[in-house]
């Protein structure tokens, strides 16, 4: 009887150890972002639409997004840092004249990661 109890305890110990080791894997969170482009200044109509479309396209390309909404996986710090880095690169690629505001918002934590007034 003691041998069976000892064997059962050893098996339970092994199961608990395996469970704790496999559950220690670092999970990556997913964060949802939105690119916001708002024309401003004296440009109107077609001019502001062209500026908005160009700027949105530049930022989508830099961020690897197919629309104004996109996701990133990792820690919040990693994701926000990468988004900020990509946005700074996008700034250099804007080739049309115009003015307005560009922002990227982390919807998951309700935080604006990037904001630029042109």
């Amino acid at each position: 009887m003691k041998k069976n109890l000892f064997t059962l305890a050893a098996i339970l110990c092994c199961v608990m150890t395996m469970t704790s080791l496999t559950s220690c894997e670092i999970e990556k969170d997913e964060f949802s972002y939105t690119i916001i482009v708002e024309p401003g200044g004296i440009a109107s109509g077609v001019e502001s639409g062209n500026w908005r479309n160009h700027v949105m396209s530049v930022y989508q390309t830099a961020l690897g997004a197919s629309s104004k909404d996109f996701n990133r996986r990792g820690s919040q710090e990693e994701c926000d840092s990468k988004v900020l880095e990509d946005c700074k690169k996008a700034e250099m690629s804007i080739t049309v004249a115009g003015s307005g505001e560009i922002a990227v918002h982390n919807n998951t934590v309700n935080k604006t990661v990037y904001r630029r007034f042109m």
Side-chain angles (χ1 to χ4, degrees):
M1 178 75 174
K2 284 187 177 185
K3 185 176 181 181
N4 289 340
L5 190 57
F6 179 73
T7 303
L8 183 60
I11 291 172
L12 183 60
C13 184
C14 289
V15 168
M16 297 280 289
T17 301
M18 292 301 291
T19 302
S20 68
L21 290 177
T22 57
S23 66
C24 288
E25 184 178 317
I26 297 172
E27 290 188 26
K28 299 278 185 172
D29 291 325
E30 187 168 16
F31 295 90
S32 169
Y33 295 86
T34 299
I35 305 167
I36 303 160
V37 178
E38 293 296 329
I42 59 172
S44 63
V46 175
E47 291 174 352
S48 66
N50 288 341
W51 181 84
R52 184 186 187 290
N53 292 340
H54 173 74
V55 171
M56 181 63 80
S57 176
V58 167
Y59 277 80
Q60 285 174 333
T61 300
L63 292 161
S66 59
S67 70
K68 68 177 187 150
D69 298 310
F70 64 97
N71 295 327
R72 288 276 198 266
R73 290 186 61 78
S75 70
Q76 180 186 346
E77 294 79 21
E78 291 170 339
C79 293
D80 288 355
S81 177
K82 179 69 172 138
V83 166
L84 183 60
E85 178 184 324
D86 291 344
C87 287
K88 288 182 178 182
K89 289 177 185 174
E91 286 178 19
M92 304 303 169
S93 301
I94 297 175
T95 59
V96 296
S99 63
E101 177 183 1
I102 303 124
V104 178
H105 189 76
N106 183 331
N107 302 317
T108 307
V109 296
N110 195 24
K111 172 185 171 189
T112 299
V113 176
Y114 172 84
R115 176 171 275 140
R116 169 98 168 131
F117 297 96
M118 303 182 99

